[in-house]
Amino acid sequence: MAEHHDQHSITYKTYLMTWLWLLVLTGLALGLGYANIDERLKAFLLVCTTLAKILVIAAVFMHLRYERINLILITFAPLILAVILFSFTFPETLGSATHLIRVR
Amino acid sequence: MDSTVAEQQRILASDWGGGKSPFGTSWSKFMMWIFIISDALTFAAFLITYGFMRGISPEWPKQTEVFNMVLITFMTFMLISSSAVMAMAVAAARASNPKLAVRFLALTIVGGLIFLGCQAFEWTHFIEEGATLTHNPWGVPQFAASFFVITGFHGFHVFSGVTILAIVALRAAMGKYSADGVENAGLYWHFVDVVWVFVFAFFYLL
C-alpha cells in the first residue's frame, strides 16, 4: 500500500512536469507562428511541435504508455488515415482547382 | 494435456490473443477510446478540408493580424492547464481520494468554463466585425467559414466535456464514485485538448 501511495505522489509531480513541458512547446509553436521563415519550413516545424504535444498528452495524461500495444496502435489509425486523406487531396490544390473558390 | 491448457492460456493472455479482454481495459474505457478515434477522424476531415480550401485560395488573411493572439494563447493555456488538473483528478480517484478528486474536477470545470467564455467573446468580436459563414471583410469567404465550423465544433466538444465533468463531479461528491468513470471523462477531456493543439497550430499559427 505504501508503495502504491509513493507511485501516486510521483505521478502528481510527473503531471506537473508534463504541464510545464506542454507550456514550453506551446511557447515554441507561438514563436514559430510569428517567425519570419519559409512557409514550408514553418509548416514542417509546426507539425513537429504539434506531434510532440499530442504524443506527450496521449502518453502521460491519457496513460497510453501504460496500455497494451494493440490499444496504442489503434489510436494511431486516425492519424494515418488523415495523412492518406491529406496526401490525396492536397496535391489537387496545385493544379487547376482554383475555380472552386469564389473571391469576394 | 496440462501443457496444452497452459499454452492456450499463454496465447489468450498475449497482446494479440483475443482473450476475455484483448485490449486489457474495461469495456467502458475501450468504448471511450473507440469514440475518441472516430471523433478524431471527424476533426481530421475538418482540418484537411480547411487545408484544401486554403490551398486553392489565391490569398489567405494573416491570422495573427485578424485574431487577438493574446486571447488565443490564454485559451490554449487554460485548456492545457485544465488537462493537467484533470490528470491529477484521475490520479486522486485512483488513489481512492474522492474529496481531492472532486476538487481537481471543479478546477478542470472552471478551466473549461473560462475557455468557453473566451470563445464566446472571440465569436462576438468576430461577428461584430462583419464575419458570417459566407462573407468576411478580410478575404475569401472560406476563411470565416472554416473559423466558425472548426472552432464551433470544438467549442461544442468543450461544452459537452464541461457537462460530462459536472455530472461526474456531482456523482463523486454524492459518493456514487467510480475511478473508471472519472478516467473515461478524463480521456474525453484530454482529447478535446489534443484537438485544440491541432486547431491552435494549423488554424491560428500556420
Side-chain angles (χ1 to χ4, degrees):
Chain A
M1 189 61 201
E3 201 184 317
H4 197 64
H5 203 97
D6 281 350
Q7 215 176 0
H8 277 291
S9 50
I10 292 167
T11 315
Y12 285 123
K13 201 182 156 200
T14 314
Y15 289 145
L16 212 62
M17 289 308 291
T18 311
W19 174 67
L20 287 175
W21 272 111
L22 286 172
L23 291 186
V24 169
L25 284 167
T26 305
L28 213 63
L30 194 67
L32 279 170
Y34 281 98
N36 210 353
I37 50 171
D38 181 60
E39 283 296 314
R40 268 173 294 179
L41 180 67
K42 189 193 266 189
F44 174 74
L45 291 174
L46 272 173
V47 168
C48 289
T49 56
T50 306
L51 283 180
K53 271 165 91 175
I54 64 155
L55 285 179
V56 167
I57 294 173
V60 183
F61 287 172
M62 296 170 104
H63 304 149
L64 212 53
R65 60 192 264 214
Y66 304 110
E67 301 291 356
R68 279 198 192 177
I69 182 74
N70 48 7
L71 183 61
I72 297 172
L73 289 179
I74 61 162
T75 59
F76 279 94
L79 205 59
I80 294 163
L81 287 168
V83 169
I84 293 171
L85 189 57
F86 181 77
S87 54
F88 280 170
T89 53
F90 200 73
E92 289 286 316
T93 64
L94 307 172
S96 53
T98 39
H99 66 277
L100 292 173
I101 215 119
R102 174 171 61 88
V103 183
R104 272 195 273 188
Chain B
M1 185 69 185
D2 275 356
S3 69
T4 324
V5 172
E7 176 68 4
Q8 263 180 356
Q9 278 172 346
R10 191 188 62 76
I11 291 169
L12 284 178
S14 73
D15 286 343
W16 304 100
K20 266 190 176 170
S21 179
F23 291 92
T25 63
S26 66
W27 66 268
S28 59
K29 190 172 164 189
F30 184 60
M31 286 300 122
M32 182 51 87
W33 271 112
I34 293 289
F35 170 71
I36 287 172
I37 287 165
S38 60
D39 215 17
L41 284 169
T42 312
F43 277 107
F46 277 142
L47 286 172
I48 287 161
T49 311
Y50 152 73
F52 182 76
M53 291 195 301
R54 200 171 152 175
I56 58 173
S57 300
E59 30 95 49
W60 196 261
K62 195 144 177 54
Q63 304 98 311
T64 47
E65 283 161 15
V66 176
F67 298 110
N68 179 353
M69 287 311 288
V70 177
L71 182 76
I72 307 296
T73 309
F74 175 69
M75 284 161 75
T76 310
F77 170 76
M78 276 328 291
L79 217 52
I80 288 175
S81 306
S82 76
S83 213
V85 176
M86 183 69 227
M88 292 178 188
V90 175
R94 285 261 172 251
S96 306
N97 191 345
K99 262 192 184 166
L100 191 62
V102 170
R103 239 174 261 169
F104 280 138
L105 279 169
L107 276 177
T108 312
I109 292 168
V110 169
L113 287 175
I114 293 175
F115 180 91
L116 283 175
C118 291
Q119 198 166 39
F121 176 77
E122 191 198 11
W123 270 51
T124 314
H125 202 65
F126 205 59
I127 292 167
E128 275 172 1
E129 282 182 321
T132 66
L133 270 174
T134 53
H135 178 83
N136 70 80
W138 303 283
V140 288
Q142 280 76 4
F143 172 64
S146 36
F147 168 81
F148 283 125
V149 172
I150 293 172
T151 65
F153 208 70
H154 177 266
F156 182 68
H157 275 74
V158 177
F159 176 72
S160 319
V162 167
T163 311
I164 295 164
L165 288 176
I167 295 169
V168 170
L170 213 64
R171 282 175 61 88
M174 282 159 62
K176 290 179 183 171
Y177 165 76
S178 112
D180 271 357
V182 179
E183 182 164 10
N184 294 339
L187 281 178
Y188 177 73
W189 191 254
H190 298 314
F191 167 70
V192 170
D193 185 25
V194 163
V195 171
W196 184 256
V197 168
F198 278 102
V199 175
F200 180 63
F202 298 134
F203 191 80
Y204 289 103
L205 294 178
L206 191 60

